[in-house]
Amino acid sequence: MSRSIYWKITIPLIVMVLLAMGFLGFFMADSSRNTQLNHLNAQLVNEAKLVADISTTDFADPALQTNLNALTKTISDEIGTRITFIIPDGTVLGDSDQDPSTMENHSTRPEVIAALATGEGQATRYSATLHKDMMYVAVLVKNQGQTIGIARVALPLTAVDASINSQIRGIISGTVITALLFVLAAALITRMITRPVRQITKAAEGIAAGKLDQQIPIRTYDEIGRLGHVFNDMSQNLKMTMAAIVDERSNLATVLANLTDGVVMTDAEEKILLTNPAVERLYNFKEKDFIGRPLIEAVHDYEIDEVVKKCLSTGREQTVQLESAGRFLRVVAVPITPGHSSATLILFQDLTEMRNLQTMRRELIGNISHDLRTPIAGIKAMVETLQDGALNDKDAANDFLTRIDGEVDRLTQMVTELTELSHIETGKAELRRIPTNVNLLIEEVAAQMDPLAAGRPVTIITDLSPNLPVIKVDRDRIRQTLINLVHNAIKFNNPGGKIVISTKYDVEFVTVSVSDTGMGISKEDLPHIFERFYKADKARSRGGSGLGLAIAKHTVQAHGGNISVKSEEGKGSTLTFTLPLNTGNK
Ligand code: ADP
């Protein structure tokens, strides 16, 4: 760049120097030549007049006219000019350089004509005789007022030309030196002007290469200095804008990464531009493998493809609920530039959990109504029987009252469980920890459950670790958890079966297991038994709300422990939960 600016400045300067010096030289040479010619002319006029005087005597006497030729030579040797004597009719009588007899009549020579007319004539022309440019000056030779001849002196112009040429040489060397100085000056000026421009270029190259932190030193406050200022401001702004964009990008990336909804962005041809981890997990693909590939290849779902196509063609948001990837989804396709349909944002909302929850709630309401209605109907029937006279039969009355009491207990249990679950769900279930000997608690529960077990009949055995550390737990809730587990172990046991409640501990946890020899749980049911309202026994022949284990799980987790199940169908189940020794801040 600097070289081109250099030549852009230098070439016009040189052309200007050449033109200026050319014109100047031409005019100077011309005027100098004229001055010199005028000088020469004046000198020749004087000389001619002198020669005329000297020759007057010889012209006046025809007998002496023959001396004139010799006289020309004498004078010419003295003053160094060519001398010619001519009589008024043009005949040459003497010439210092030529034999006058060979010379033609000179009456037509311009200087002769002018001399005869005005007394003095001059001419400059090429002499065919001497082969040179000559200046001729002719004056009249007079005797007593009579013109008796013409004296002409002539000098070649070579001396004048030589002097002019030397002047022109001077002008040319002056021009060359000036032009060189200009070239040098142009180089210096260009360097000065282009240095900041070079700095700006370098800084701009830096920005282009991604190094945004470019500032250039400002040394002047001229136009280029201002350009530097503007450049620095621009680079600063660019840096800030880029930082803001990077920030926004990382915010967006964080939002996308943590969004539970799946997000895909596609271009006008439904090719994937962007995806987030949620949708990658949903359809089990990696973003890097599918960028630039059609959406359908990643999601394998024509219904979704159709929704996106419709969004593209109408430029309007489209929503659909569908089953895809084994989940129940709401898919929303949003045009990114509404009306232009150039790209589409597709949101995948997984409604499976919600739908399951709704289904479960529906089932719960059904179950609760059924489970409430059964004991209420029993109580009602028994109360009616008592009213109808059974009250008078003391034994029957007692039996009915005992059964009514049992049904009321069932109702109370169900309501308690529902309240507990609602507490857990609304976060109101606060733990009231007190130091507890879990072994003692188990003995209590075993004793409490014994009558129920005996009714089955099932035997409860305890296998408790001695020296079990006392731990701080919410005793009532852990008691309830144990009751739930033992109750299940009785309920799902076979007559004559066994229940073993055991404890052990290590440095971290106290572990409690309740195992039975009952019907066990099928592989399909096993992953679900801790879910709310889940019952493997769909016929609900053994009662229960399906809430016990869900509550147990929440309780144990709230204490910082865990609950798990091992079971083999037909052989029995073992439910195990842990409670940390060190309660920490739980
Ligand atoms: P429920 O009130 O029905 O007992 P739970 O939440 O306590 O509700 O248990 C959920 C389901 O898990 C039960 O309906 C039953 O199918 C199964 N289950 C729990 N404990 C046992 C067990 N010891 N043996 C076999 N099945 C069990």
Side-chain angles (χ1 to χ4, degrees), residues 417 484-485 488-489 491-493 516 518-521 529 531 534-537 543-550 567 572-573 575:
E417 281 182 356
N484 275 343
L485 297 188
N488 281 345
K491 217 166 33 173
F492 300 106
N493 221 323
D516 64 65
M519 55 190 279
I521 304 160
I529 61 162
E531 290 171 11
Y534 191 86
K535 293 197 221 178
D537 176 18
S545 59
L547 295 173
L549 285 184
S567 185
S573 316
L575 279 111

Side-chain angles (χ1 to χ4, degrees), residues 97-279:
D97 289 17
Q98 282 265 303
D99 179 2
S101 60
T102 62
M103 291 168 70
E104 62 181 46
N105 187 293
H106 270 39
S107 60
T108 57
R109 296 294 192 269
E111 67 279 8
V112 173
I113 296 168
L116 285 171
T118 65
E120 195 180 301
Q122 67 108 7
T124 304
R125 68 170 174 278
Y126 182 73
S127 158
T129 329
L130 299 178
H131 307 294
K132 284 177 187 165
D133 279 332
M134 303 285 285
M135 178 180 275
Y136 298 93
V137 171
V139 295
L140 296 178
V141 181
K142 287 195 171 178
N143 189 18
Q144 292 161 2
Q146 280 283 307
T147 299
I148 53 171
I150 294 149
R152 187 183 76 167
V153 292
L155 256 187
L157 295 182
T158 34
V160 175
D161 285 342
S163 139
I164 301 290
N165 284 345
S166 112
Q167 267 187 22
I168 289 176
R169 271 199 301 281
I171 288 169
I172 288 176
S173 42
T175 309
V176 169
I177 289 168
T178 318
L180 283 176
L181 286 176
F182 268 88
V183 169
L184 208 68
L188 287 175
I189 293 171
T190 315
R191 252 185 86 78
M192 243 165 60
I193 293 178
T194 56
R195 191 170 64 175
V197 175
R198 276 200 307 275
Q199 282 174 336
I200 293 176
T201 311
K202 206 167 154 224
E205 278 167 0
I207 288 179
K211 291 184 214 133
L212 297 183
D213 204 4
Q214 301 285 339
Q215 289 287 304
I216 42 176
I218 310 286
R219 292 199 182 81
T220 58
Y221 289 91
D222 54 12
E223 289 84 342
I224 291 185
R226 284 207 296 280
L227 175 65
H229 257 300
V230 173
F231 182 89
N232 283 348
D233 284 354
M234 187 193 76
S235 117
Q236 191 66 27
N237 282 345
L238 195 65
K239 200 176 131 195
M240 273 155 51
T241 314
M242 278 308 278
I245 291 174
V246 168
D247 258 13
E248 253 172 50
R249 275 197 145 208
S250 86
N251 287 348
L252 186 70
T254 314
V255 169
L256 280 179
N258 292 297
L259 214 61
T260 44
D261 288 352
V263 176
V264 175
M265 199 200 277
T266 55
D267 65 9
E269 272 117 44
E270 278 187 73
K271 296 217 173 91
I272 295 177
L273 299 172
L274 171 151
T275 65
N276 79 335
V279 78

Side-chain angles (χ1 to χ4, degrees), residues 227-383:
L227 175 65
H229 257 300
V230 173
F231 182 89
N232 283 348
D233 284 354
M234 187 193 76
S235 117
Q236 191 66 27
N237 282 345
L238 195 65
K239 200 176 131 195
M240 273 155 51
T241 314
M242 278 308 278
I245 291 174
V246 168
D247 258 13
E248 253 172 50
R249 275 197 145 208
S250 86
N251 287 348
L252 186 70
T254 314
V255 169
L256 280 179
N258 292 297
L259 214 61
T260 44
D261 288 352
V263 176
V264 175
M265 199 200 277
T266 55
D267 65 9
E269 272 117 44
E270 278 187 73
K271 296 217 173 91
I272 295 177
L273 299 172
L274 171 151
T275 65
N276 79 335
V279 78
E280 289 159 28
R281 277 194 301 274
L282 182 63
Y283 287 103
N284 196 20
F285 70 88
K286 287 259 167 295
E287 183 185 46
K288 64 177 169 48
D289 301 332
F290 283 87
I291 290 289
R293 285 173 59 184
L295 176 69
I296 187 85
E297 288 182 16
V299 303
H300 301 288
D301 194 309
Y302 283 95
E303 227 176 319
I304 294 174
D305 194 50
E306 279 306 308
V307 171
V308 177
K309 279 201 168 61
K310 198 158 172 210
C311 174
L312 278 171
S313 64
T314 59
R316 279 201 301 275
E317 185 179 315
Q318 305 292 327
T319 306
V320 70
Q321 293 195 351
L322 44 80
E323 300 260 358
S324 181
R327 310 290 294 175
F328 179 67
L329 304 177
R330 174 167 41 218
V331 178
V332 185
V334 186
I336 287 190
T337 42
H340 300 287
S341 62
S342 54
T344 316
L345 186 71
I346 307 141
L347 300 174
F348 296 80
Q349 289 174 312
D350 190 344
L351 305 182
T352 318
E353 296 281 316
M354 214 173 77
R355 198 177 62 160
N356 288 352
L357 206 64
Q358 277 171 355
T359 315
M360 279 199 291
R361 277 189 200 284
R362 255 198 312 276
E363 281 176 4
L364 169 76
I365 292 167
N367 292 350
I368 290 175
S369 333
H370 182 274
D371 289 353
L372 290 178
R373 217 179 294 126
T374 314
I376 289 170
I379 291 168
K380 176 114 179 111
M382 287 184 279
V383 169

